[in-house]
């Protein structure tokens, strides 16, 4: 697959930036949110051929930055906590969100953590088009899943999700580049499909645990009922 005729930019988190830009997808620009403090760390461990990660000084800077981009066809968003305003969305032919969860049942800011607290046997990556300011609700492109590895760490599973989403993304970008129909389908979010954000303190314990099994064994009181 190839999408050399496309110019793409990325807005997202540190780990997803690293996993995607270190060999999966080629971006001309990559930005993270103002709260991210490890830009220098990212740039020190990235591959020499990968894009340099930059940081927004404020959410309002998004529009200033993209206003200077005249050659970017696609904006890819993954793990980015700021809502994109329509002034930003309208500046691109395509805006694609890589969502680390089942888009139809597990919308929201922390889908992987929600799946873990539900002891879901599978972890899912979904792609959809962002065409409005409504979160996790644009036309559905594709999804794939793998068997959850509770014997591994949160970051191990997140890396697998990023890589899986990256493969879906390459396929979508290739279709756009070739002029093929992306096949995105409109849908209506069901009530209750937008899940609450998992608290920061829970996320810290989950990410730092030696394995997801260890985290679950030590935090039985936090488990969600199955969806």
């Amino acid at each position: 697959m190839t999408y050399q005729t496309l110019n793409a930019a990325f807005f997202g988190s540190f780990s997803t930036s690293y996993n995607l830009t270190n060999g999966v997808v080629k971006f001309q620009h990559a930005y993270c949110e103002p709260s991210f403090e490890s830009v220098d760390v990212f740039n020190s461990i990235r591959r020499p051929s990968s894009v340099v990660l930059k940081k927004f000084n404020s959410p309002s800077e998004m529009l200033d930055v993209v206003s200077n981009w005249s050659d970017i066809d696609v904006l890819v968003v993954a793990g980015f906590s700021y809502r994109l305003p329509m002034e930003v969305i309208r500046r691109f032919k395509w805006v694609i969100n890589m969502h680390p969860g089942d888009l139809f049942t597990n919308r929201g800011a922390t889908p992987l953590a929600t799946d873990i607290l539900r002891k879901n046997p599978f972890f899912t990556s979904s792609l959809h088009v962002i065409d409005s300011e409504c979160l996790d609700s644009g036309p559905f492109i594709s999804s794939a899943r793998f068997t959850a590895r509770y014997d591994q760490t949160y970051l191990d599973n997140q890396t697998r999700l990023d890589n899986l989403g990256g493969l879906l993304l390459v396929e979508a970008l290739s279709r756009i580049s070739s002029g093929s129909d992306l096949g995105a389908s409109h849908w209506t979010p069901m009530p209750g499909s937008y899940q609450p954000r998992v608290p920061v303190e829970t996320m810290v314990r989950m990410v730092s645990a030696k394995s997801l099994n260890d985290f679950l064994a030590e935090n039985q009181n936090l488990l969600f009922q199955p969806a």
Side-chain angles (χ1 to χ4, degrees):
M1 294 181 180
T2 180
Y3 55 92
Q4 275 85 357
T5 59
L6 283 180
N7 290 322
F10 177 82
F11 288 175
S13 68
F14 168 81
S15 58
T16 304
S17 300
Y18 180 79
N19 293 330
L20 283 184
T21 61
N22 274 278
V24 180
V25 181
K26 176 69 174 178
F27 293 108
Q28 277 65 42
H29 306 281
Y31 275 81
C32 61
E33 57 203 47
S35 60
F36 180 61
E37 300 295 338
S38 303
V39 172
D40 291 339
V41 173
F42 173 92
N43 290 324
S44 70
I45 62 176
R46 69 183 178 86
R47 292 179 181 173
S49 60
S50 298
V51 65
V52 173
L53 182 66
K54 300 178 182 178
K55 180 169 67 173
F56 290 122
N57 293 314
S58 67
S60 61
E61 191 183 4
M62 277 191 292
L63 185 56
D64 294 332
V65 168
V66 302
S67 296
N68 294 317
W69 294 347
S70 59
D71 60 340
I72 300 300
D73 304 295
V74 181
L75 174 63
V76 175
V77 180
F80 193 62
S81 62
Y82 294 109
R83 188 190 302 263
L84 297 185
M86 285 306 300
E87 291 90 339
V88 170
I89 296 171
R90 292 192 188 103
R91 289 185 174 273
F92 302 95
K93 296 176 183 177
W94 297 94
V95 181
I96 296 176
N97 184 39
M98 196 175 83
H99 179 72
D102 185 317
L103 192 62
F104 304 112
T105 62
N106 190 7
R107 300 160 58 226
T110 53
L112 176 55
T114 297
D115 275 337
I116 292 167
L117 291 173
R118 288 176 171 166
K119 301 179 72 172
N120 195 318
F122 300 101
F123 295 151
T124 302
S125 182
S126 305
L127 291 188
H128 73 90
V129 176
I130 296 178
D131 59 359
S132 75
E133 295 185 17
C134 186
L135 298 176
D136 298 336
S137 63
F140 172 78
I141 300 172
S142 61
S143 67
R145 68 180 189 177
F146 63 86
T147 300
R149 291 294 304 270
Y150 285 91
D151 60 322
Q152 297 183 346
T153 68
Y154 178 96
L155 293 178
D156 289 335
N157 282 278
Q158 181 177 314
T159 296
R160 292 184 69 191
L161 266 183
D162 289 342
N163 290 336
L164 183 61
L167 294 176
L168 296 175
L169 183 59
V170 168
E171 180 178 359
L173 295 177
S174 298
R175 294 183 68 84
I176 293 173
S177 180
S178 66
S180 301
D181 183 8
L182 189 56
S185 57
H186 289 271
W187 60 289
T188 301
M190 295 293 291
S193 62
Y194 197 93
Q195 307 302 322
R197 181 187 290 270
V198 173
V200 172
E201 56 270 23
T202 301
M203 291 294 304
V204 170
R205 277 183 275 172
M206 190 180 294
V207 172
S208 61
K210 291 183 179 180
S211 73
L212 296 181
N213 281 332
D214 287 347
F215 166 79
L216 293 174
E218 296 170 1
N219 296 275
Q220 289 288 328
N221 62 308
L222 297 176
L223 300 188
F224 293 163
Q225 293 300 315

